[in-house]
Amino acid sequence: MTQGSIIDTLVFRADEIILYPGKPGPRDRIYRVESGLVRIQSVDDDGNALTLRFVRPGEYFGEEALSGGDRPYHAEAAVDTRIAQIHPNLLEPQEALDLAVQLALALNRTYTSIQRLVSQRLKNRVAAALLEFAETPLAVRDAKGRVMIHVTHDEIASAVGSVRETVTKVVGELARDGLIKSGYGRVMLLDAPTLAELAQQSS
Amino acid sequence: MTQGSIIDTLVFRADEIILYPGKPGPRDRIYRVESGLVRIQSVDDDGNALTLRFVRPGEYFGEEALSGGDRPYHAEAAVDTRIAQIHPNLLEPQEALDLAVQLALALNRTYTSIQRLVSQRLKNRVAAALLEFAETPLAVRDAKGRVMIHVTHDEIASAVGSVRETVTKVVGELARDGLIKSGYGRVMLLDAPTLAELAQQSS
């Protein structure tokens, strides 16, 4: 990885907004997550949030500074996060290629989101979202090796394109099925293999 | 635009499959549409097709040859199409940057798809899809300047994440409202401004 175009490293605390929707300005940069996790999400007129994707270490966001399209999302730090600010006009060849690879992967993941929205019931989408959360810094392992995810029902709803009230019912169902244990602002995975089966099923 | 990595130019007739789902092989390339239109679509176990995006001239597909992820889609020529086959390891710096820009735009458009799926009713999504079709080679203008789109109800269903039977009802509704005229395998736009209003509305 070349470093020629990094102009700064920035630190954001959990829940801080990094980018707002709108037209990229002349000072806008591309960002690469160095550590932590960034949530890319849009909010409709009624205040319902929709997570478009998560950006993990090594991945980029703010790519509209390069392409010129309007930014349709907020970017916010999901946990304490460090990001490199990259000048789009100073991208070195290896960085441009790395950016293309990462955007290709991001595109592939949004395909999965679209497929899930069209073909899966909410319960299956919630199972898939919990397993995705488990692979991010939102999750920690306790002394017994169980995965505990720090996430609210609102955040799960945003990830699956639903609303909190409905997600709360589905979370209760998964808990009654013995697949998870749900507490305030946290979900513990009890049966990851069955959740993975659910995440694969279409309706 | 540099040409150093183009290894071939290929021609496909309308409805020909260009790429199948699966793991990219060592001989797989990245493709840039030179003329025509490519439909990127997945098909579920029940045979329901879902259009993930359209690739227009100057845009790329087959990007998983670069990123290494599984290809979750078929790529098919929507009309007669000419594509440049690009060797991912021979990408010149300017091409890598161009690819990154185009993938950034593609990502942005899939964000719009996700937002529409979550927040819009089918009628609004169909209006948006018809206006998107109108900007592709699927559309022609007749002598009176009206836009005629060559598209089946199945193809509209695939674009909006629904099934033909339901789309046929919505198309009938739009026709009764005087916004379109629908024939076998074709739709004529009669009132683009009202369709554009519908395409903007959330439910």
Side-chain angles (χ1 to χ4, degrees):
Chain A
M1 173 63 56
T2 54
Q3 300 292 324
S5 62
I6 295 179
I7 48 181
D8 211 348
T9 299
L10 307 171
V11 173
F12 292 87
R13 311 293 296 179
D15 299 328
E16 266 193 279
I17 304 282
I18 305 167
L19 290 177
Y20 288 90
K23 205 161 190 54
R27 291 183 155 194
D28 281 353
R29 307 305 182 211
I30 298 169
Y31 301 95
R32 187 176 59 230
V33 176
E34 303 293 308
S35 67
L37 185 70
V38 172
R39 182 186 284 117
I40 301 294
Q41 101 180 343
S42 67
V43 181
D44 71 14
D45 295 344
D46 297 329
N48 298 311
L50 172 65
T51 300
L52 297 164
R53 67 176 172 118
F54 282 98
V55 192
R56 286 174 266 213
E59 301 173 354
Y60 296 79
F61 64 100
E63 63 282 349
E64 59 285 347
L66 191 68
S67 61
D70 263 25
R71 180 186 307 125
Y73 61 79
H74 291 81
E76 66 174 40
V79 299
D80 291 353
T81 296
R82 197 162 50 84
I83 59 178
Q85 197 180 11
I86 291 169
H87 197 305
N89 295 336
L90 301 181
L91 276 174
E92 297 189 1
Q94 188 55 46
E95 278 181 318
L97 195 62
D98 181 53
L99 175 60
V101 170
Q102 294 300 331
L103 291 176
L105 288 168
L107 190 58
N108 202 303
R109 280 202 276 139
T110 63
Y111 289 162
T112 305
S113 298
I114 293 173
Q115 288 168 318
R116 287 193 188 286
L117 280 170
V118 169
S119 69
Q120 287 192 319
R121 289 177 199 279
L122 188 59
K123 187 173 177 179
N124 305 88
R125 303 207 309 269
V126 168
L130 291 175
L131 291 174
E132 190 186 351
F133 291 146
E135 300 300 315
T136 72
L138 293 169
V140 291
R141 279 179 190 275
D142 70 8
K144 294 179 181 170
R146 295 174 304 192
V147 174
M148 171 74 83
I149 303 165
H150 291 270
V151 66
T152 65
H153 290 188
D154 259 327
E155 288 165 343
I156 298 172
S158 167
V160 298
S162 184
V163 292
R164 183 175 49 77
E165 293 76 4
T166 319
V167 162
T168 295
K169 284 180 202 161
V170 169
V171 165
E173 208 177 315
L174 292 171
R176 279 193 303 278
D177 293 346
L179 308 185
I180 62 172
K181 198 171 138 184
S182 173
Y184 183 75
R186 61 183 61 191
V187 171
M188 184 182 283
L189 304 191
L190 299 178
D191 184 351
T194 303
L195 287 170
E197 270 176 43
L198 276 178
Q200 291 305 319
Q201 281 167 14
S202 297
S203 57
Chain B
M1 175 62 55
T2 54
Q3 300 293 326
S5 63
I6 295 180
I7 47 178
D8 213 347
T9 300
L10 306 171
V11 173
F12 292 87
R13 311 294 296 177
D15 299 329
E16 267 193 277
I17 304 283
I18 304 168
L19 290 177
Y20 288 89
K23 204 158 191 57
R27 292 180 153 198
D28 281 353
R29 307 304 181 212
I30 298 169
Y31 301 95
R32 187 176 59 232
V33 176
E34 302 294 307
S35 66
L37 185 70
V38 172
R39 182 186 285 117
I40 300 294
Q41 102 181 340
S42 67
V43 180
D44 71 15
D45 295 342
D46 297 329
N48 298 309
L50 171 65
T51 301
L52 297 164
R53 68 176 172 119
F54 282 99
V55 191
R56 286 174 266 213
E59 301 174 354
Y60 297 79
F61 65 100
E63 64 281 350
E64 60 284 348
L66 192 67
S67 62
D70 262 23
R71 180 186 307 125
Y73 61 78
H74 291 81
E76 66 174 40
V79 298
D80 291 352
T81 296
R82 197 163 50 85
I83 60 178
Q85 197 180 12
I86 291 169
H87 197 305
N89 295 337
L90 300 180
L91 276 174
E92 297 189 1
Q94 189 54 47
E95 279 180 317
L97 195 61
D98 182 52
L99 175 61
V101 169
Q102 294 300 331
L103 291 175
L105 288 168
L107 190 59
N108 203 302
R109 282 201 277 138
T110 63
Y111 289 163
T112 305
S113 298
I114 294 173
Q115 288 168 319
R116 289 194 188 286
L117 280 169
V118 169
S119 69
Q120 287 192 319
R121 288 177 200 278
L122 189 59
K123 188 173 178 178
N124 306 88
R125 303 207 308 268
V126 169
L130 292 175
L131 291 172
E132 190 185 352
F133 290 147
E135 301 299 317
T136 72
L138 292 170
V140 292
R141 276 177 193 277
D142 71 7
K144 294 179 179 169
R146 294 175 304 192
V147 174
M148 171 73 83
I149 304 165
H150 290 271
V151 67
T152 65
H153 291 186
D154 260 326
E155 288 165 344
I156 299 172
S158 166
V160 299
S162 184
V163 291
R164 184 175 50 77
E165 294 74 7
T166 319
V167 162
T168 295
K169 284 181 198 160
V170 169
V171 165
E173 209 177 313
L174 293 171
R176 280 193 301 280
D177 293 348
L179 308 184
I180 62 171
K181 198 170 137 185
S182 172
Y184 183 74
R186 57 184 61 192
V187 172
M188 184 183 282
L189 305 191
L190 299 178
D191 185 350
T194 303
L195 288 170
E197 270 175 44
L198 276 178
Q200 290 306 316
Q201 282 168 16
S202 298
S203 55

